[in-house]
Amino acid sequence: MSETSGTTTSGKTPVDFWFDPLCPWAWMTSRWVVEVEKVRDIEVRWHVMSLAVLNEPRLGELPDEYRDMMATTAWGPVRVVIAAREQHGQEVVGPLYEALGKRIHNQGEGTTPEAVLGALADVGLPASLAEYAEKDTYDTELRASHKTGIDKVGQDVGTPVIAVPGPEGQGEVAFFGPVVTPAPKGEEAARLWDGTLLVAGVSGFYELKRTRTQGPIFD
């Protein structure tokens, strides 16, 4: 079975989620969808994508600071996650992302080597995986996972990408987002999920957007 096929072994509704550990907005969305797992019959399947890969074609157009980050530190955490997946299986991706997200974003450790090593220890993975932050060993697999997600939505987006059930008989529909802060909890999370399914069920629906007036609010 493909890891993005339309069924899960649990029989729950599959939700495919592409993330880069670097992105605070993807982290916010991930906290929402984890909350939805508690209140709706869904199962999230985690996949990596890369802001560094996404921005490769337009590096020259980026502000200097952001361009430098895309060329250097942006690669580290996502390379560690793909290395963990390749060596230890798909099931470690979600827990490792959660551990990285808490350290990078909630605890403010950033993408430091210490944060990566701490996250690996948190989920019982070997510290040797941290070495892959500086290696391109699994970049082919990283780019393939990235391409799978981005091909579903097109190039004019960022992270996260989520794929949810679409109209009856038409398979899944993928979106960038939802971009939300703080992450909704309980019934509020459920209502946002129900609304996401609602718009996904409208053939030809593409976008809702407004200007962000605040940054990510971490719990």
Side-chain angles (χ1 to χ4, degrees):
M1 182 182 69
S2 166
E3 66 182 46
T4 58
S5 67
T7 59
T8 65
T9 55
S10 66
K12 296 182 178 182
T13 299
V15 179
D16 289 294
F17 191 108
W18 282 264
F19 66 91
D20 185 325
L22 181 70
C23 179
W25 291 105
W27 177 242
M28 297 303 303
T29 307
S30 77
R31 299 307 87 198
W32 160 67
V33 81
V34 165
E35 185 73 11
V36 176
E37 280 191 307
K38 302 174 185 177
V39 292
R40 291 292 185 267
D41 198 28
I42 71 166
E43 180 179 321
V44 183
R45 302 183 297 196
W46 304 97
H47 315 278
V48 293
M49 61 184 296
S50 168
L51 288 171
V53 173
L54 184 70
N55 284 290
E56 279 180 333
R58 49 181 179 264
L59 274 179
E61 304 167 11
L62 300 175
D64 290 347
E65 183 178 355
Y66 194 73
R67 181 173 65 247
D68 292 344
M69 181 173 62
M70 289 300 104
T72 55
T73 56
W75 286 97
V78 73
R79 277 175 166 170
V80 171
V81 177
I82 196 68
R85 190 196 77 176
E86 293 302 302
Q87 295 185 21
H88 298 274
Q90 175 65 30
E91 64 272 12
V92 306
V93 175
L96 181 55
Y97 176 39
E98 181 159 352
L100 282 167
K102 287 179 178 177
R103 287 182 173 271
I104 292 171
H105 303 297
N106 292 70
Q107 296 169 212
E109 296 179 28
T111 58
T112 61
E114 292 77 14
V116 172
L117 284 168
L120 290 169
D122 289 342
V123 294
L125 288 169
S128 58
L129 285 169
E131 299 172 5
Y132 290 92
E134 304 297 331
K135 297 180 180 180
D136 62 2
T137 308
Y138 297 111
D139 279 10
T140 297
E141 291 80 2
L142 170 58
R143 290 177 182 275
S145 180
H146 176 92
K147 185 176 187 300
T148 298
I150 212 70
D151 280 354
K152 296 177 181 293
V153 289
Q155 294 294 324
D156 298 326
V157 301
T159 176
V161 169
I162 65 169
V164 302
E168 187 71 28
Q170 296 186 33
E172 65 182 9
V173 174
F175 294 112
F176 161 64
V179 176
V180 60
T181 188
K185 299 289 193 298
E187 191 55 32
E188 186 181 20
R191 288 197 301 270
L192 180 56
W193 169 252
D194 295 342
T196 300
L197 289 185
L198 181 64
V199 297
V202 177
S203 179
F205 173 82
Y206 290 102
E207 186 174 6
L208 283 171
K209 191 171 183 178
R210 62 176 177 167
T211 300
R212 301 175 196 169
T213 58
Q214 60 183 340
I217 300 172
F218 305 120
D219 290 336

